[in-house]
Amino acid sequence: MTKTTPEQNKTLVLQAFDALFNKRDYAAAEHYWSDRYIQHSAHIAPGREGLFNLVRTLPDTLKYENQLIVAEGDHVIAHGRFSGSGRPAAWVAADIVRIEDGKLAEHWDVLQYEATKAQSASGLPMFGDRFPD
């Protein structure tokens, strides 16, 4: 069993997300996601192939941007934005990932459509320091 540090786990998650969502490099992504990957998201079919197949259906304009990433032990939480998906607004997500043997082994998420300035009761953006264009 490979033991990794929280810093290594954060780097692993960012590299994995970049390979899959931004580069669409499925061969590289296979090295990051466990073949026993457990998917808890209500929006994604089971396993690594469920995730990869979902990404294959999305436009090439899909982009993942990370705002904040924290890790404790073998868990990582990445706060990010998925834009260019063809949906009416970007998704702002908190992705929670468990790392096992140096790979993404399990995933949960919390998703919300990104609010415009007119939609924001707080008057503050949900992601970064400005509202989406």
Side-chain angles (χ1 to χ4, degrees), residues 101-119:
D101 293 332
K103 294 192 176 200
L104 284 69
E106 198 164 4
H107 170 262
W108 302 258
D109 60 29
V110 180
L111 297 170
Q112 184 176 359
Y113 280 119
E114 186 171 16
T116 63
K117 188 171 188 173
Q119 296 166 328

Side-chain angles (χ1 to χ4, degrees), residues 6-21 32-33 64 66 69-71 74-79 95-99 102-104 106-107:
E7 285 303 314
Q8 289 171 320
N9 291 341
K10 290 192 294 188
T11 298
L12 177 73
V13 168
L14 291 175
Q15 289 173 342
F17 279 32
D18 187 52
L20 182 61
F21 300 115
Y32 292 109
W33 270 270
Y64 175 78
N66 181 263
I69 190 161
V70 295
D74 60 356
H75 284 81
V76 175
I77 301 174
H79 178 247
D95 287 287
I96 304 150
V97 181
R98 184 179 62 81
I99 308 299
K103 294 192 176 200
L104 284 69
E106 198 164 4
H107 170 262

